[in-house]
């Protein structure tokens, strides 16, 4: 196919972020650049504009957390991905999208992972009083 090659995508990333991706980092661009939520959306939007790619078929929840999920309470358990899986975006897929002019990935139909934020709150509400009680016990023993 004619059009931008992998090297053109790597140069785009280097010009935008000031770092050249190693061969291993090219396998997962968003992780290599530490992009999630709005930052990942901005990167992909700039990519689509630069290489004139129609991103109608792109489904962000498969690739990165959105701001709503990334900002939720997640300690001590991290907030899960919407579908429980994260698909990397390699430079080769970006190059293929630039060559075709459309997002090339077809996604399966998956049900969202159930939210388990209550587990985190339960752990905090049970563990915090126990921790305080243990501190009081140790303090009185001294």
């Amino acid at each position: 196919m004619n059009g931008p090659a992998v090297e053109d995508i790597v140069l785009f990333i280097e010009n935008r972020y000031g770092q050249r991706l190693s061969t291993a980092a090219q396998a997962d661009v968003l992780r290599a650049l530490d992009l999630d939520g709005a930052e990942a959306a901005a990167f992909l939007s700039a990519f689509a504009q630069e290489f004139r790619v129609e991103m109608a078929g792109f489904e962000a929840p498969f690739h990165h957390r959105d701001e709503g999920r990334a900002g939720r309470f997640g300690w001590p358990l991290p907030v899960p991905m919407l579908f429980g899986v994260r698909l990397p975006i390699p430079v080769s897929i970006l190059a293929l999208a630039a060559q075709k002019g459309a997002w090339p990935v077809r996604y399966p139909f998956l049900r969202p992972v159930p939210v388990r934020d209550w587990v985190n709150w339960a752990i905090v509400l049970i563990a915090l009083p126990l921790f305080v009680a243990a501190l009081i016990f140790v303090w009185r023993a001294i």
Side-chain angles (χ1 to χ4, degrees), residues 3-125:
V6 169
E7 187 58 32
D8 298 320
I9 307 299
V10 171
L11 286 174
F12 166 75
I13 293 169
E14 183 177 359
N15 291 336
R16 186 165 173 86
Y17 291 97
Q19 71 182 66
R20 184 148 181 94
L21 296 180
S22 67
T23 305
Q26 290 179 21
D28 191 353
V29 174
L30 297 181
R31 180 165 285 161
L33 298 174
D34 194 28
L35 301 177
D36 219 359
E39 295 169 338
F43 165 74
L44 291 166
S45 177
F47 163 77
Q49 185 176 14
E50 175 77 19
F51 294 101
R52 293 183 286 289
V53 176
E54 177 59 43
M55 298 293 282
F58 178 75
E59 294 190 32
F62 280 97
H63 301 288
H64 61 84
R65 290 177 173 84
D66 65 347
E67 289 300 313
R69 292 182 66 80
R72 284 199 331 232
F73 180 71
W75 183 87
L77 304 175
V79 176
M81 299 297 293
L82 181 61
F83 299 110
V85 65
R86 183 187 160 282
L87 300 176
I89 299 178
V91 172
S92 59
I93 291 292
L94 295 175
L96 185 60
Q99 291 167 359
K100 287 186 169 185
W103 189 250
V105 178
R106 303 254 185 230
Y107 299 97
F109 176 74
L110 298 175
R111 292 190 329 256
V113 172
V115 178
R116 304 219 191 286
D117 286 345
W118 63 269
V119 172
N120 291 327
W121 285 109
I123 290 172
V124 169
L125 293 176

